[in-house]
Amino acid sequence: MALALFDLDETLLRGDSASLWLEYLVEQGLAPADMLAREQAMMNLYHQGKMDMHAYMAFTLAPLAGKARTWVDGHCQHFCEQWLLPRLYREGLDRIAWHQRRGDTLVLISASGEHIVAPVARALGMDHCIAIELDMVDGRLTGETCGVLSFRQGKVARLHECFGKACAGSFAYSDSINDLPLLEWAEFPHATNPAKALRELAQARHWPVLEWDKSRLE
């Protein structure tokens, strides 16, 4: 049974789920508006392959520190339904359905927090969700992360934790050069809606390049 590994942001989703989540928090009055500009500066570093993910997660989790996990999960479910599902690419949903018909094991693997990613994974019928895990004490978020961050080589490390080192027959889909370790790990890598650096590398290596349009999940 092959693995089908899907990145979320800018791959299945038009936009970045973590950035959109912060916009949601600001709109709900749960985070200060001046966080948005600082977060975008950090995201610019991400696109350059220079982001410090620990610093980014500490910054973006600060508004949730001390909040009950049940409270956070309620907001995240609403956010998923109202903000994220309408932004999914139709072609991405079709590709997921193709893998389901094949009997592949579907994995949503993301460098965003699992509080954001897990509701999307459930909505899509994914078998597994790998995302950045959040630290909790007595059912409340501390504002910190725990475990190996599923970012860059960390995605491969988390895959090894879940599935061992076997990758025969596996497919991987991502838009970002930050996911090069993931794409190289898979037997069938697919550069999906790729940014310039990944597009050039994919073309040089003769990897499939997928372009998904702006169709939404109605």
Side-chain angles (χ1 to χ4, degrees), residues 141-153:
L141 301 187
T142 66
E144 302 294 331
T145 60
C146 59
V148 176
L149 302 190
S150 48
F151 179 55
R152 295 184 182 147
Q153 189 62 36

Side-chain angles (χ1 to χ4, degrees), residues 18-215:
S19 298
L20 291 165
W21 169 245
L22 186 57
E23 289 182 28
Y24 170 85
L25 291 178
V26 169
E27 182 180 282
Q28 297 292 312
L30 300 171
D34 63 4
M35 289 187 71
L36 294 174
R38 293 176 63 189
E39 191 268 347
Q40 281 304 300
M42 290 181 167
M43 286 303 297
N44 288 337
L45 293 176
Y46 170 84
H47 293 301
Q48 297 170 36
K50 300 176 182 178
M51 176 184 277
D52 180 338
M53 185 56 75
H54 284 94
Y56 178 83
M57 291 302 298
F59 174 71
T60 56
L61 287 174
L64 304 182
K67 300 292 187 184
R69 182 59 193 257
T70 52
W71 180 90
V72 173
D73 286 346
H75 272 282
C76 288
Q77 184 63 40
H78 175 75
F79 168 71
C80 170
E81 293 169 359
Q82 300 299 316
W83 287 58
L84 299 186
L85 296 186
R87 293 173 175 266
L88 294 173
Y89 290 120
R90 173 60 61 185
E91 293 91 337
L93 300 176
D94 291 342
R95 185 55 63 105
I96 289 170
W98 181 77
H99 281 289
Q100 288 173 327
R101 290 193 297 272
R102 281 170 42 94
D104 295 335
T105 298
L106 295 168
V107 183
L108 189 60
I109 182 165
S110 174
S112 291
E114 46 93 10
H115 58 308
I116 303 169
V117 180
V120 182
R122 289 193 296 270
L124 294 176
M126 293 284 178
D127 300 298
H128 299 273
C129 174
I130 296 175
I132 293 178
E133 298 176 324
L134 308 188
D135 185 55
M136 288 192 298
V137 174
D138 297 328
R140 294 183 178 274
L141 301 187
T142 66
E144 302 294 331
T145 60
C146 59
V148 176
L149 302 190
S150 48
F151 179 55
R152 295 184 182 147
Q153 189 62 36
K155 284 192 175 182
V156 175
R158 293 285 301 279
L159 283 170
H160 289 172
E161 289 177 1
C162 293
F163 303 106
K165 295 187 177 182
C167 64
S170 60
F171 292 71
Y173 303 86
S174 179
D175 71 294
S176 175
I177 196 68
N178 286 297
D179 277 339
L180 182 57
L182 175 71
L183 293 166
E184 289 180 330
W185 183 83
E187 184 172 349
F188 301 108
H190 293 70
T192 307
N193 308 321
K196 183 174 184 291
L198 180 57
R199 180 186 302 278
E200 292 175 350
L201 185 144
Q203 290 171 342
R205 296 190 181 186
H206 305 290
W207 291 351
V209 175
L210 305 180
E211 299 286 359
W212 293 342
D213 68 21
K214 299 299 187 287
S215 298

